[in-house]
Amino acid sequence: MIRTTRGQFIAVTVVLAVGLLSYVSLNMTLLNLETTVNTYYEMTNTADIFSEVMRVPESQIEQLLSIPGVTGVNGRVIQNVKFDTGNELEKSTIRLISIPESGEIISSNYIVDGKPPAEDNEVMLLEMYAAARNLKVGSEFEVVIAGKHKKLIVSAIVANPEYIYLIEDEQSLLPDPAAFGVGYVTEQFAQSQLGFSSSYNSLVFKIDENIDEDDMINQLEKKIEKYGVIRLFKRDDLISARMVNEEIKQGKKSANVVPVLFLAVAAFIIAVMIGRIVKNDRITIGVFKAMGYSNLDIIWHYTKYALLIGLIGSAAGMLSGAALANQLAQVYTDTVFNIPILIGQVYPQYLALAMVLGSTFCIAAGFWGAKGIMEIHPAESMRPEAPKTGRRIMLERWSVFWNRVSFSWKIVIRNIFRSKRRVLFIVLGIALTFAITLLPFYMMDAFFNMFDEQYGVMYTMDYTLTLSKVVDESVAFEIGDLVDADVIEPIVEFPFEINRGWKSKIVNILGIVDESQMYHFSNVNGEPIPLPSEGIALTEGLAGLLQVHVGDEVTISSFIPGRDDESIVVTAIVEQPLGVNAYMNIGYMQRTLLDDGFVNGVVLKGDEIDAGVFDTVEHIKSAESLTDLMKIFEQFTTLTYSSIVVMIVASGILGFAIVYNSTIMSINERKLEFSSLRVLGFDKKDIFKMIQRENMVMTFFGILIGIPMGASMIDTMMKSFSSELYTMKVDSNPSIYILTGVMTLLFVLIAQFATYEKIQKLDFIEALKARVS
């Protein structure tokens, strides 16, 4: 049986293997990634709670350690400084973090090369930044602190659990290792050079594992409130932790959906194949029944064919998936994230489950396909099955049309209308192929669209400047005038905790000027709206997280000393593709949450802006340009393209298997018909062309059905994959549907030409004889 159907056997086995490969590899990769991250946290004693404060004296560390439930406290000095690139047009920021001089170090570094700083001018550099800047142990570089150049020597290359995903802040989203890095210096150097004598501006805590983190955060907030708490959050709210957790969460969704899709298609093909084989073996099955074999004996004979597909496909998928899992995990730890270790384990439960899933699907499909055996009666089966009665199809009654159709096309149309089950199978298979192929194209389009919407439509400034301290609004305009900007808008941005019932979230609230030319908002329906003059506008993801609607009140808790909580009405919910923020009118925000007239940032627009002047202007802490973001985005798309190619190849295998198997089955069933056509003068090329025309017609209808099917899958995926960090919402782009249609057609043509050899080798004389599979 396998010898006569080896092409189909291989094709459906590959589909099954790909499904189980994705099941095993995705699940084991994500589990390895999760285990690796947790192990990394334990190895480096990563903090449970983080706090940013204005200034806390060293003497308070011991008092904080005495709080019940707190098992460790480190004070740190953290400040961003300029890395001297030697090129005025190239910006690079390095975040200097002090290393505690004594006691247990929380969130310690993983040293890749070198040793901890022995002198005050030595620094341990984060591995990704060192690689991007081509710095090694012993290299020297300069940073600019308060306008003065300081030479630092690299004593070690390290990794740190707080910077698994190396971005400066939540607004960056995409890593650029050459533009932002982290360096660890001695406490003595940080306190003396950064202006924090005998004090810190950051605290990290380890707490007892039995203590509730939220309760502890409330306790700590009351304890350190007087030191000017800017932010207080747990490890899961760390940007790196959120990015890793989001990747694992989304990956698990894919791991549950993709394999089932492939297994279902493989099972359906097997059921149809065995059903056709049983039909061809009708006479022989009747003989066996007459000899005393039971229905179950004969059904089991054909089911063994399906079981063999299941065993081979499962073994291939299982082994290749296990081998691929570590490679994928390595890509995550080395390329996507920065994790110096990898816990690569093989999880037997996934291998066993893959084998059970593959075998179960195939056995069930085998039984379903062979169930027709029960309807075969020995006496009736001794004679060949009577051919189907040919009837005029509906189109033949439309003589105006039918008389103009060529003879060969009439055969094609009749075959399509008279083989409804086969046609339905192929059309649905092509529709499914179209829908699955559409997904990666959509994801690529959505990815580009999210970036364009964020930085081309919503944000239209050329530069965003973050100031080192709060200044009067007039200073912001003076800075804009200095760099020759056409449009200057001051902004104010501070972290606040937004509460609604038991739900809360710490986010940055941005104060924007009236009728801003840089910030453009739209509601959840995509309609442009102005920023309300009062109240607060939440991004769609944040509103969903807090479960609030327009008109609801939220409580804003401030980390600024002496500020009370404020209840503010949600006056708008706005679309924001990337990141999570809240927006307020700058005047309203200053009156309710801050002080009148003070800002800490400025956005600029203009063709003649001289970015080189930024370094000479006092108060500018950092400058971010749209051009820099575009460069980062282009680098980041390389990995995206790779994953999309993998998905397209997988959907191509699916489409090939469906079309190839159905075409081979069609050829086997119609040998008598083709023999008659040869007698009428058709050669093998004419027959191949006729089958090709049938497949093209079915491809056309398959694509038509695949369009709404794909749109439905996209809608489901969009809702499933959108999170508080990003919102996947993109208008249907006709070009991706056209491209998907072309790819689907290509898959069909490849499968079609793979069957050409079958036509060439077809023995039309043998077709008149009864055959047994």
Side-chain angles (χ1 to χ4, degrees):
M1 197 187 300
I2 294 175
R3 183 177 58 82
T4 56
T5 60
R6 59 181 178 276
Q8 296 166 270
F9 185 90
I10 294 170
V12 72
T13 302
V14 169
V15 172
L16 185 73
V18 170
L20 292 174
L21 180 151
S22 60
Y23 172 76
V24 172
S25 61
L26 286 176
N27 279 294
M28 288 178 62
T29 297
L30 296 170
L31 202 51
N32 277 333
L33 178 62
E34 201 168 19
T35 306
T36 298
V37 171
N38 290 333
T39 305
Y40 188 34
Y41 286 157
E42 289 178 13
M43 287 174 62
T44 53
N45 195 30
T46 307
D48 298 312
I49 295 175
F50 300 79
S51 175
E52 297 171 18
V53 296
M54 299 298 287
R55 184 184 293 268
V56 57
E58 279 184 4
S59 57
Q60 293 301 309
I61 299 300
E62 287 299 323
Q63 290 188 22
L64 293 172
L65 191 56
S66 65
I67 297 174
V70 174
T71 59
V73 184
N74 277 175
R76 308 187 298 187
V77 175
I78 300 178
Q79 188 164 308
N80 289 357
V81 299
K82 179 187 172 186
F83 177 92
D84 188 3
T85 62
N87 181 354
E88 288 188 356
L89 300 178
E90 185 184 7
K91 306 294 178 189
S92 184
T93 300
I94 182 168
R95 178 169 295 166
L96 296 182
I97 300 177
S98 65
I99 307 167
E101 288 181 340
S102 59
E104 179 189 40
I105 297 179
I106 299 173
S107 294
S108 63
N109 290 301
Y110 182 98
I111 297 179
V112 179
D113 187 22
K115 57 185 181 179
E119 305 292 336
D120 284 349
N121 64 342
E122 292 185 336
V123 59
M124 294 195 291
L125 272 187
L126 213 59
E127 188 177 14
M128 291 178 73
Y129 188 71
R133 284 280 158 206
N134 196 27
L135 295 171
K136 299 175 182 175
V137 174
S139 297
E140 296 180 358
F141 64 90
E142 290 189 352
V143 295
V144 182
I145 302 174
K148 297 178 181 177
H149 287 249
K150 298 287 181 185
K151 182 182 290 185
L152 293 174
I153 302 171
V154 180
S155 70
I157 305 298
V158 300
N160 189 281
E162 295 179 20
Y163 295 95
I164 288 175
Y165 193 73
L166 184 58
I167 55 175
E168 186 173 356
D169 52 40
E170 291 179 341
Q171 307 308 313
S172 304
L173 281 175
L174 300 178
D176 182 6
F180 174 73
V182 181
Y184 295 86
V185 294
T186 63
E187 190 171 284
Q188 168 66 27
F189 176 86
Q191 289 183 331
S192 61
Q193 298 298 325
L194 302 177
F196 285 90
S197 178
S198 301
S199 60
Y200 307 108
N201 64 348
S202 169
L203 297 168
V204 285
F205 301 87
K206 287 293 289 184
I207 64 171
D208 190 292
E209 59 183 8
N210 297 317
I211 299 293
D212 183 83
E213 290 182 338
D214 292 324
D215 291 341
M216 180 55 71
I217 285 176
N218 291 333
Q219 281 191 56
L220 291 174
E221 186 177 353
K222 293 173 184 173
K223 198 76 177 177
I224 61 178
E225 185 180 13
K226 56 188 175 185
Y227 302 115
V229 179
I230 299 173
R231 292 187 71 190
L232 190 59
F233 54 96
K234 50 192 175 185
R235 185 200 296 162
D236 285 346
D237 289 327
L238 202 64
I239 295 176
S240 285
R242 287 168 62 190
M243 296 302 289
V244 172
N245 292 338
E246 193 64 30
E247 188 68 29
I248 293 172
K249 180 182 167 187
Q250 303 296 356
K252 285 181 177 177
K253 290 179 182 176
S254 299
N256 290 330
V257 174
V258 175
V260 172
L261 205 57
F262 276 79
L263 289 178
V265 170
F268 191 64
I269 293 175
I270 291 170
V272 174
M273 277 173 60
I274 292 183
R276 300 298 180 194
I277 293 171
V278 167
K279 196 175 176 183
N280 286 343
D281 295 350
R282 182 171 169 274
I283 295 175
T284 307
I285 291 171
V287 171
F288 277 109
K289 279 193 171 184
M291 292 171 66
Y293 286 90
S294 68
N295 284 329
L296 192 59
D297 290 335
I298 302 172
I299 288 175
W300 176 239
H301 167 73
Y302 287 94
T303 303
K304 283 189 284 187
Y305 175 86
L307 178 60
L308 197 57
I309 293 175
L311 292 175
I312 296 175
S314 300
M318 191 177 68
L319 296 175
S320 54
L324 187 62
N326 270 351
Q327 304 299 321
L328 289 176
Q330 193 81 52
V331 170
Y332 270 119
T333 56
D334 291 352
T335 307
V336 181
F337 303 114
N338 180 26
I339 306 174
I341 61 169
L342 172 61
I343 309 298
Q345 296 179 353
V346 174
Y347 298 92
Q349 66 268 33
Y350 285 109
L351 302 181
L353 202 51
M355 183 61 80
V356 171
L357 275 175
S359 302
T360 304
F361 265 77
C362 290
I363 290 173
F367 269 104
W368 182 261
K371 71 180 188 308
I373 289 172
M374 292 186 289
E375 297 173 0
I376 296 175
H377 299 286
E380 292 180 3
S381 66
M382 291 302 110
R383 58 188 178 189
E385 190 178 19
K388 288 183 180 177
T389 304
R391 295 179 182 174
R392 296 178 68 189
I393 63 173
M394 186 178 61
L395 289 178
E396 290 185 62
R397 297 170 187 168
W398 189 17
S399 57
V400 177
F401 164 76
W402 193 251
N403 291 337
R404 287 172 169 76
V405 177
S406 68
F407 177 71
S408 57
W409 268 106
K410 284 179 180 175
I411 296 175
V412 169
I413 295 171
R414 283 192 182 112
N415 277 324
I416 289 174
F417 276 85
R418 288 173 179 169
S419 307
K420 296 183 180 63
R421 286 185 183 178
R422 180 174 60 85
V423 170
L424 185 64
F425 169 65
I426 296 176
V427 168
L428 289 180
I430 292 172
L432 186 61
T433 302
F434 178 91
I436 294 174
T437 308
L438 181 65
L439 291 180
F441 285 122
Y442 167 81
M443 287 179 67
M444 185 170 64
D445 195 52
F447 191 64
F448 279 93
N449 190 72
M450 281 195 296
F451 193 83
D452 289 342
E453 285 288 324
Q454 180 94 357
Y455 298 106
V457 178
M458 186 174 183
Y459 298 165
T460 57
M461 69 288 292
D462 290 320
Y463 288 92
T464 301
L465 307 183
T466 302
L467 305 183
S468 56
K469 62 180 182 179
V470 175
V471 299
D472 187 82
E473 280 186 4
S474 59
V475 176
F477 287 103
E478 290 173 7
I479 291 172
D481 291 336
L482 282 173
V483 297
D484 203 18
D486 297 335
V487 185
I488 307 161
E489 292 181 3
I491 59 171
V492 59
E493 180 177 3
F494 274 94
F496 292 91
E497 185 177 48
I498 303 179
N499 302 280
R500 170 70 176 175
W502 60 273
K503 292 180 177 294
S504 65
K505 185 70 181 174
I506 298 174
V507 298
N508 282 359
I509 300 180
L510 273 77
I512 311 296
V513 299
D514 275 329
E515 298 180 355
S516 170
Q517 298 181 49
M518 315 280 197
Y519 292 89
H520 309 275
F521 299 98
S522 57
N523 60 23
V524 291
N525 297 319
E527 299 161 347
I529 58 170
L531 183 66
S533 57
E534 293 190 346
I536 188 169
L538 305 181
T539 55
E540 192 177 359
L542 180 59
L545 179 73
L546 298 174
Q547 295 183 356
V548 297
H549 304 88
V550 173
D552 292 342
E553 273 194 358
V554 293
T555 303
I556 311 292
S557 299
S558 175
F559 297 114
I560 301 172
R563 290 283 179 182
D564 296 328
D565 293 351
E566 296 285 346
S567 292
I568 296 179
V569 177
V570 177
T571 48
I573 294 176
V574 299
E575 283 189 336
Q576 179 170 306
L578 300 170
V580 54
N581 286 110
Y583 298 90
M584 296 174 71
N585 175 282
I586 191 168
Y588 182 72
M589 183 174 173
Q590 289 167 337
R591 291 196 301 277
T592 53
L593 302 176
L594 304 167
D595 294 318
D596 284 338
F598 286 94
V599 300
N600 64 350
V602 57
V603 287
L604 309 171
K605 190 175 182 63
D607 297 329
E608 305 296 332
I609 293 176
D610 183 1
V613 179
F614 292 153
D615 295 335
T616 64
V617 179
E618 191 180 2
H619 304 312
I620 293 180
K621 179 181 175 183
S622 65
E624 188 176 68
S625 77
L626 198 61
T627 306
D628 293 338
L629 286 172
M630 291 299 292
K631 289 178 182 175
I632 298 169
F633 180 72
E634 287 169 4
Q635 294 171 6
F636 193 76
T637 52
T638 305
L639 192 63
T640 305
Y641 283 131
S642 303
S643 60
I644 286 171
V645 167
V646 171
M647 292 179 69
I648 291 174
V649 169
S651 58
I653 290 173
L654 197 65
F656 176 88
I658 291 170
V659 176
Y660 177 79
N661 278 286
S662 57
T663 304
I664 292 293
M665 283 187 278
S666 173
I667 292 171
N668 288 334
E669 287 177 358
R670 297 163 62 188
K671 287 179 181 177
L672 187 60
E673 176 192 335
F674 295 152
S675 299
S676 303
L677 290 174
R678 289 296 306 275
V679 173
L680 292 172
F682 278 62
D683 61 19
K684 292 180 179 179
K685 286 185 179 176
D686 293 329
I687 293 172
F688 178 73
K689 190 184 295 182
M690 189 178 69
I691 295 174
Q692 195 175 35
R693 285 176 176 175
E694 288 180 18
N695 282 341
M696 289 302 104
V697 172
M698 290 184 281
T699 301
F700 173 76
F701 287 104
I703 290 175
L704 281 186
I705 295 173
I707 291 172
M709 187 186 288
S712 175
M713 282 187 179
I714 285 173
D715 187 58
T716 304
M717 188 186 72
M718 190 176 69
K719 291 174 181 172
S720 174
F721 282 72
S722 291
S723 67
E724 59 176 288
L725 287 176
Y726 45 82
T727 303
M728 294 186 73
K729 185 179 288 186
V730 59
D731 294 331
S732 296
N733 185 349
S735 63
I736 65 169
Y737 285 88
I738 294 171
L739 185 58
T740 304
V742 171
M743 291 300 298
T744 306
L745 185 61
L746 181 64
F747 299 149
V748 171
L749 288 174
I750 292 172
Q752 179 71 59
F753 283 107
T755 62
Y756 182 72
E757 188 182 358
K758 182 76 175 177
I759 296 288
Q760 291 296 316
K761 292 182 177 179
L762 205 57
D763 189 338
F764 296 102
I765 303 300
E766 285 294 320
L768 301 175
K769 302 177 182 178
R771 294 178 62 249
V772 177
S773 299

